Amino acid sequence: MTKLLSFIGVLFTCYMILIGDEVLGGIQFGYLCYLSPRLEVLTDELEGRKIRSTSSITEVKLSPVKIKEELVVMKDVDTGQPIFKYSYYRFYGGWLAHWINFNGFKGPYFYSNTCNQGSGSKLLIINNNIVVEE
């Protein structure tokens, strides 16, 4: 009985080590999405502006899994002044997801892999007659 329980304990420990990076990374990803700032409006005058988006992508450090942050800043076309900004996070899964790589999918199996904090941007654009240029 002791050998059986020891064997089950070793198997469980190995299993937790293999998926631990994904579980810990998912918890960190959820916390990051929860704490990150939502849509930030940076100016008072929004009505009738022409804007263009600029973005920068950085990798979040100190994470057991790969998490990238894309900072989207909408700027006025004429003045270059930032109008509003938000962050978009993408979670790429842990060791288990990359090892299994089922059908080329490298996303996490236990969590959603995106977190978009700019969900109110479309409503802001529509309500203020803002023109978005490509």
Side-chain angles (χ1 to χ4, degrees), residues 93-108:
W95 179 89
L96 184 64
H98 291 278
W99 182 67
I100 293 174
N101 194 11
F102 181 69
N103 287 338
F105 176 72
K106 291 185 179 180

Side-chain angles (χ1 to χ4, degrees), residues 51-53 77 131-134:
I51 60 173
R52 178 177 294 139
S53 70
V77 172
V131 178
V132 180
E133 290 191 354
E134 298 297 320

